[in-house]
Amino acid sequence: MTASRTARERVRAELTREITDIARRQLATDGAGGLSLRAVAREMGMVSSAIYRYFPSRDDLLTALIIDGYNALGEAVEQAEAACPRSAHLARWMAAGHAVRDWAVAHPHEYALIYGSPVPGYQAPQDTVQARLRDVTVLGSIVSDAWGAGELHAPAGPEAPPEVADDAERIRALMPGVPDDVVWRAIASWSTLYGWVNFEVFGQFNNTVDNRRPAFDHALRLAAAALGLAP
């Protein structure tokens, strides 16, 4: 019984992986809004009713793809950042930032699914939250570690308005122990990182920025300087 169950589980895992692989190819050709369980079933040579045993709805399949995308991006960022010495905060920031860009450029349709426009009619469930936080948790740990080591030296800037104090408190969960002004510097720097990647992946730099990797590296260093991460 145990061996039989294990074999069935392996078959189910293989079919689930095949379904998500085909669905990812659909993202490239039809976009998230065009994702279709029936089309996936046709490509697999499976009757459409059978695929619903694996994913009861299109939204369930979308959720699986979103979680896979967040996890793949998060793993890339974690591995790149972990290769740097813990005390080299700027190097960790640069490694993490380049990992975000490299993964996004290599997987533009998956990046578009997780950081692009919302899919009409789809509401992401709570299941996606843990995966969604993996990359920003790495960035938050860099900020928190640099602050704790006394190595954030940002120039004086405007104080955050009191209306956003509650927002800062929620965001501080990603970078424990830092004051409000550092929280907002971090958000501004992260927005530079992901804003650049969005511009690049979605074609906003076409015919404008040709040497994108060195330009991105420079923008990432400017964001680090604004955050207070000195060389």
Side-chain angles (χ1 to χ4, degrees):
M1 289 291 291
T2 302
S4 177
R5 261 199 316 273
T6 301
R8 285 198 298 271
E9 289 167 357
R10 284 201 301 270
V11 170
R12 183 177 182 85
E14 289 169 4
L15 284 172
T16 300
R17 185 163 49 250
E18 185 177 354
I19 290 168
T20 54
D21 286 345
I22 292 171
R24 271 187 283 273
R25 292 200 296 271
Q26 268 196 25
L27 290 178
T29 57
D30 303 318
L35 189 65
S36 165
L37 283 170
R38 290 179 179 275
V40 172
R42 279 197 304 271
E43 185 168 340
M44 293 182 68
M46 176 188 290
V47 295
S48 58
S49 59
I51 200 169
Y52 292 101
R53 293 200 293 266
Y54 298 88
F55 295 98
S57 70
R58 182 210 67 159
D59 284 4
D60 291 303
L61 179 54
L62 268 176
T63 296
L65 295 175
I66 288 168
I67 290 172
D68 286 350
Y70 278 130
N71 278 327
L73 173 59
E75 183 176 1
V77 172
E78 289 165 358
Q79 290 181 351
E81 187 265 349
C84 301
R86 297 298 82 195
S87 60
H89 304 108
L90 178 59
R92 291 166 62 190
W93 162 260
M94 297 299 295
H98 275 287
V100 171
R101 177 186 175 272
D102 290 348
W103 186 88
V105 170
H107 305 88
H109 305 292
E110 293 171 67
Y111 181 84
L113 180 63
I114 59 177
Y115 276 114
S117 299
V119 180
Y122 173 79
Q123 182 67 43
Q126 195 70 16
D127 297 355
T128 62
V129 172
Q130 183 174 356
R132 178 172 63 86
L133 293 176
R134 286 180 67 172
D135 53 339
V136 293
T137 295
V138 172
L139 298 175
S141 71
I142 297 169
V143 175
S144 190
D145 291 350
W147 173 258
E151 294 187 8
L152 279 184
H153 306 291
E159 292 186 5
E163 294 86 352
V164 298
D166 290 344
D167 297 328
E169 190 59 36
R170 282 190 292 271
I171 298 167
R172 199 179 348 262
L174 294 169
M175 50 190 102
V178 307
D180 283 10
D181 68 310
V182 173
V183 169
W184 292 114
R185 288 182 188 279
I187 291 299
S189 297
W190 296 358
S191 298
T192 297
L193 162 58
Y194 288 97
W196 176 288
V197 174
N198 277 24
F199 267 42
E200 183 168 355
V201 170
F202 302 135
Q204 300 302 314
F205 285 142
N206 292 349
N207 304 315
T208 304
V209 179
D210 292 330
N211 299 308
R212 293 177 186 170
R213 186 176 182 84
F216 173 75
D217 188 271
H218 181 59
L220 201 57
R221 292 180 186 278
L222 290 173
L227 177 56
L229 287 172

